[in-house]
Amino acid sequence: MEKKTYYITTPIYYPSGNMTIGHTYTTVAADTMARFKKMQGYDTYFLTGTDEHGQKIEKKAAEQGVTPIEYVDKIVAETKELWKLMDIQYDDFIRTTEERHMKIVQKIFRKFYEQGDIYKAEYEGMYCTPCESFWTPTQLADKDGVKVCPDCGRPCQPMREESYFFRMSKYQDWLIDYIETHPDFIQPAKRANEMLTNFLRPGLQDLCVSRTSVKWGVPVDFDEKHTVYVWIDALSNYITALGYGTDHDELYQKYWPADVHLVGKEIVRFHTIYWPIMLHALGLPLPKQVFGHGWLLFGADRMSKSKGNVVYPEPIVARYGVDPLRYYLMREMPFGADGNYTNESFLTRMNADLANDLGNLVSRTVAMIEKYFGGEVPAATEAVDPEVDLPLQQHCAALPALVNDQMDKLQFSQALTEIWKVIGECNKYIDVTQPWVLGKDPEKRDRLANVMRNLAECVRFTAVLIGPTMPYTPARIFAQLGVEDPELQSWDSLGAFGKIPAGTKVHKGEALFPRIDVNKELEALSGGAKEEKKEEKKEKAPEKKPEKKHEEPEYPAEISIDEFFRCKIQAARVLECEKVEKSSKLLKFRLSLGKDGERTVVSGIQKYYDPEKLVGRQVAVITNLKSAKLAGIESQGMILSALNEEDGALHLVSLEEGTEDGAIIG
Ligand code: MSP
């Protein structure tokens, strides 16, 4: 049976400067999706490239005293380097300056002209002489009541130029009907409404599609003083790259129509109005979907070189590797919505999601299998606790379908959230099953075996499912887990839970994602990642203050016993425990100190514990600590816990059974 095909594209980017984290965002999204489909057995095709023509490039090259092609060649080479660094596996990289593209653009333009879709007329507009640019009335900026060039801010003059125009209006009703009857065509759906309300229903203007004043472009072959300008040139890339219109159009036959064009929201209009009309005029089917994603902002602003607030991926990758950045980009904001890039949010995610949640789960699982079973995944036994084991097994078994549902909607962040729910559940499963207690009792060995198997299998599922987003991490996890068989690393192997073979030899390795010191890293990054930041940025988008962390105290070499006894440490029973509203860190405890009464303590351990599970447990508390307000709540003491340096896991200090509530510890 022939494999199902999947064709995905990014916009072709302007090589007017180096690619930023914003361009990287779209490209990583496309790569993640292509990898996901490939993993599922689709015959995928992933296209990206560069849009190299036009006045802006012409100007930039002139400024640097090089030819346009010399200028773009350098940036294109650097772009390809960046995609290699990000482990982007595109199938083709199209450049609009390539002959294979230009020839077909000419053919398309001629066909439009011959069938009457394009006509020649005078173009009337406002002209900016220094920029050599025409602007329509709506494009012009307003400066103290004067219409000025939106690029340079200088006044424009009325001017006429001979141009070719595309009769967009002819196709307007057809397109309205198409969009209304194909609700999946434009996603997210609100963007379809924007197109209908703002552009289509008010009536389409005919589009100017050639220039005589711009030379850096595809010449109109039947009227050489004209250059194709510029969307007909750019949009055609999605089919010229497949060999459309040539004698070798096998790829076109196989992959067109595209399954999805990923684009930033600012170019949805071109992809959902001009492009469908062009395709329809050519008698070709439309792409199945155009997805307009949101912007990655920096501070409150869209990143732009002119604003000087650009973030480049290279310094981030150099310091932390590719996978954390790819993970962050796909996880931080829902695909479709805008989001802010900050170094702090990146570093916080690295610690919380990667070091704590995922990294800990893998290292704890492997370490425990080493400790209790000599490093071999044990065989399944009869000692099942259905109430504890089945929910985890069922949740994990359902995970591939949950991830698939989200990925089909291009909801990368939600797909990762689903995976992280299972990771979180595994970490709780460890707390509940308490393998360290089972390990002490030889009679509980069978039970411990199942606990270890369940964890190892969940780790295997996780490793497979994060692969499209984080291409390097699965291999590192499989190496620690001892899963070498490629079949067990595949999507297909996730059809049933429990496949990890007994006897699989685990190998404890380095921490996958060592915990980082956020404050220190913030400092280090502010040198590299924001090298283009201008002074003024500070006022516009003040960086959030780094979170204040408890510094490790400088311990004196020794203290007297009296000094120690100044601390009143008591055993306390958790009566109530709940998350503090609007805080992702704090838990609020109501504690009983037996005959010493009750008190409230707030503790920053939310991410390590499920509050419900702590109720009834005994903890150790410093009770004569000066009270402090945390998130508006008066905290009367401090709960003692230990933080592992290596894997970042946190453990509450616990007391032996029989300790009275309120008993003094010391
Ligand atoms: N050349 C046109 C596209 C032609 S497609 C037939 C173009 N190029 S561009 O270099 O300006 O790239 C814009 C695209 O880059 C956006 O649509 C988006 O995919 C990506 N992004 C660039 N900066 C971005 C952000 N800050 N945030 C999100 N996406 C960003 O437009």
Side-chain angles (χ1 to χ4, degrees), residues 355-356 359-360 363-364 508 511 513 515 643-651:
N356 276 354
N360 266 348
S363 69
R364 289 165 95 185
K508 194 158 168 48
F513 302 100
R515 265 188 84 81
L643 186 65
N644 286 353
E645 205 165 89
E646 196 191 325
D647 62 8
L650 185 121
H651 298 279

Side-chain angles (χ1 to χ4, degrees), residues 426-438:
C426 286
N427 280 324
K428 273 183 213 149
Y429 180 78
I430 299 177
D431 294 341
V432 172
T433 52
Q434 301 193 317
W436 51 93
V437 177
L438 300 176

Side-chain angles (χ1 to χ4, degrees), residues 539-607:
E539 298 145 30
K540 264 204 224 149
E543 284 258 344
K544 265 203 263 165
K545 272 244 183 75
E547 182 189 329
K548 221 173 152 191
K549 283 262 155 68
H550 265 305
E551 295 290 325
E552 184 134 306
E554 283 279 332
Y555 291 111
E558 55 183 30
I559 58 169
S560 69
I561 187 91
D562 293 340
E563 275 176 290
F564 173 73
F565 279 123
R566 287 164 62 85
C567 260
K568 187 171 180 189
I569 310 174
Q570 288 181 277
R573 178 91 43 196
V574 180
L575 299 175
E576 291 163 20
C577 180
E578 62 185 33
K579 291 187 177 167
V580 171
E581 224 179 287
K582 292 203 191 109
S583 164
S584 56
K585 301 199 177 71
L586 300 177
L587 287 180
K588 179 179 154 190
F589 291 82
R590 189 77 197 145
L591 300 176
S592 162
L593 294 169
K595 59 180 180 358
D596 285 353
E598 291 179 12
R599 59 175 64 202
T600 298
V601 171
V602 177
S603 172
I605 58 172
Q606 192 187 106
K607 70 175 170 227

Side-chain angles (χ1 to χ4, degrees), residues 10-16 19-26 51 231 234-238 262-267 271 293-297 302-303 333:
T10 71
I12 47 171
Y13 306 114
Y14 294 129
S16 51
M19 299 302 139
T20 69
I21 202 170
H23 303 101
T24 306
Y25 177 61
T26 318
D51 184 3
W231 284 97
L235 290 160
S236 303
N237 89 87
Y238 301 126
L262 299 188
V263 300
K265 64 182 181 182
E266 79 289 355
I267 54 172
H271 284 81
H293 65 68
W295 287 336
L296 202 57
L297 308 168
R302 185 165 167 216
M303 275 180 212
M333 61 206 218

Side-chain angles (χ1 to χ4, degrees), residues 460-484:
R460 186 179 75 84
F461 267 61
T462 305
V464 174
L465 292 170
I466 60 173
T469 312
M470 297 201 275
Y472 291 105
T473 305
R476 298 173 65 207
I477 299 180
F478 288 131
Q480 295 209 20
L481 204 56
V483 170
E484 285 165 8

Side-chain angles (χ1 to χ4, degrees), residues 366 377 456 459-460 477-483 500 504-507:
V366 169
V377 174
V459 169
R460 186 179 75 84
I477 299 180
F478 288 131
Q480 295 209 20
L481 204 56
V483 170
I500 192 163
T504 300
K505 286 193 178 55
V506 304
H507 312 276

